[in-house]
Amino acid sequence: MAKHNFRTFILWTLALLMLPSTMWAENGSDLWLRYKGSNTAQVILSKGLKSSPTLRIAMNELNSNWTGNETITLQRTAHGGDKPESFTLTRTAQGITLASPSDAGMLYASYTLLRLQQTGQLSRLTPNNPISESPQNDVRILNHWDNPNGTVERGYAGASLWKWDAIPVKAKSGKQAKWNDTALQARIEQYARANASVGINATVLNNVNAKPLMLSADMIGKAASIADILRPYGMRVYLAVNFGSPHGLGGLDTADPLNPEVIKWWKNKVDSIYQLIPDFGGFLVKANSEGEPGPMDYGRTHVDGANMLADALAPHKGIVMWRAFVYAPGSKDRANQAYEEFMPLDGKFRDNVTIQIKNGPIDFQPREAVSPLLFSMKHTRMMPEFQITQEYTGHSIHTCYLAPMWKEFFHTLQIPAASDMANDKNDMRLIAGVANIGDDINWCGNDLAQANWYAFGRLAWNEQLTSEEIAREFLMQTFTADPQFVDPMTALLMHSRETVVSYMMPLGLHHIFAGGHHYGPEPWYAPRGSREDWLPRYYHRADSLGIGFDRTSKGSRNTQQYPEPLRSLYDNINTCPENLILWFHHASWDYLMQDGLTLWQNLCYKYETGAREAEQFVEVWQQMKPYVDSERYESMLWRFQRQARDAWWWHDACILYFQQFSQRPIPADITAPRFQLDQLMKFHIPIDNYRAPKPEQLP
Ligand code: BDP
């Protein structure tokens, strides 16, 4: 007995000693899902409603996390005209009802109710005010650029989530596979949960630069095991495919989409996928782009290629997302190409083909004009692709909240008359975001970059939400609801994208990054033998007269691809929004801007403002110390410090580089560059495939 007591005493002492560290241990892995529930809810299924894995998750979330003590009823409503995932929250004296035509809708309703609780908005739900929601996009999909070898293309949060070696192969019998690596299984389930909580309902598991290997029987069996975890959370799995697979994997001597053997190969492959993944979503294809194989290798067209795959998928209700990210070397204007290549094909794609188009016509720059193709096709389904991973906005070092960029995009699409935007294929809407998720403990590398994953989901569900409300929600749930934290940090997030634009590429400048990894400034980057359209000078076109790419009716005629009023607005330098002036115009260094400064002076001040703002971010964050756990505080502090240092690096590099062309003095109140141009030009930051640079790797 005494011995037993002593052991209890020791255990208790140890537990108490460990308590503070466990209480405060914080690694960001809980994302925005930090409910402090009291297990007081009574959750029931309405009469006749049969339980399901999805409903069990919903009930479990509410049971463990709801802090009220009313009865919550899950209820199925008739489909009617509503979208299956829509839902209504109703409050009565008896309790709260979450109603939807589908189980997934009830799950979304549960997360919505919990979000209202976490963000102090429950008062919005009163007996007179039910809350009804319906998703604006039917397919809200993440694109992982993950490779079978565990690397992530343009990933800055560690290696791939999918540890392919440890993922079990699902057997043909259809029985769920047993996971030996239960930690991995749990992590993938957390991934599904996080997505469901913001309404993301689909995922492409692998890189658009797809390896034929992804379609091997083993990999399909592994994808099926992942699909089994995601399914109860309302998520469907898709795969990116290599168009050359019949050749590269199947051993055929061609991948010509009109060849009967090739057609048969794809049909069989698709059938074998559906055997294991009955709700498989379909294929994402990058064809004839940046060296990837495609139908044009065989003298065929995008239509031939996409329709052939679509026909193989159609019997199973699968779809093809065919990317429009195409550009040939030697082009007059890369921004024109997707339009030139796809407009003649408008109306020729099958119903289950969607053309996936990056938000801008170049490549995920900090600010781009909207891709003109998105305004133009009338008889083809199109979907936008955003880049959540920060390839061009500072990797997982810089804080750059992307919701304002995406809102700007949605806003621009609304500018032309509705009749000019009519499209007869918009019965089904889709939206994609390239994921910023890896195996880092906090998922995204940068704790605040979680906000971009969060915001993508929220906007994919409802484009009308404001960036600010999304930022607030995120901060309140992920850190603290204390306004001393939420107010200044919302302001910081809201400003962050414009700050990044100012210190990297203001006034519509684009693609002046370091070659390869795209981190840091290298407007001079020009290794011999490079493709011209991979070089910054192709984009900035600085010379003694001015700077910027003339895309007007007198230049590359890119402006002519836009509908009115954008066409005229962009074409005329005096009406072109100044934040895109160098995107559309080659403007004289002495061009007078609205503030009365010359373009050159204005450019210098933009760099100055951006760098100073980045410096202020450090101060704001330092003031947040009392409200943040030390682990996340420290891990963000060095990132903000790096961001500020990088911002000055951009400032020095760009001002000095462009001054060679402008030959104009740097305004006196601009901070004097700390480095000489030739010093900066010698420096190329080392960086490996998926690790952001360390602090000491800067000049
Ligand atoms: C560019 C990336 C490259 C991608 C490509 C794409 O630099 O890694 O493969 O886009 O979207 O942004 O296909």
Side-chain angles (χ1 to χ4, degrees), residues 145 153-154 208-209 286 290 323 325 358 363 391:
W145 284 359
E153 178 148 347
R154 312 302 180 184
V208 286
N209 298 315
K286 171 176 178 177
E290 297 186 329
R323 293 176 94 227
F325 181 61
K358 291 188 180 183
D363 192 8
E391 172 179 2

Side-chain angles (χ1 to χ4, degrees), residues 380-433:
T380 302
R381 185 172 291 111
M382 300 180 281
M383 65 190 285
E385 174 181 327
F386 294 150
Q387 195 181 42
I388 312 172
T389 189
Q390 292 174 240
E391 172 179 2
Y392 294 104
T393 49
H395 296 190
S396 55
I397 305 293
H398 298 204
T399 290
C400 181
Y401 174 54
L402 295 169
M405 172 184 334
W406 302 331
K407 289 291 289 185
E408 191 173 293
F409 166 87
F410 294 131
H411 171 76
T412 309
L413 279 176
Q414 299 298 319
I415 295 177
S419 54
D420 283 333
M421 294 296 290
N423 182 306
D424 53 27
K425 289 275 176 60
N426 61 14
D427 50 320
M428 173 183 168
R429 295 188 56 187
L430 310 87
I431 188 165

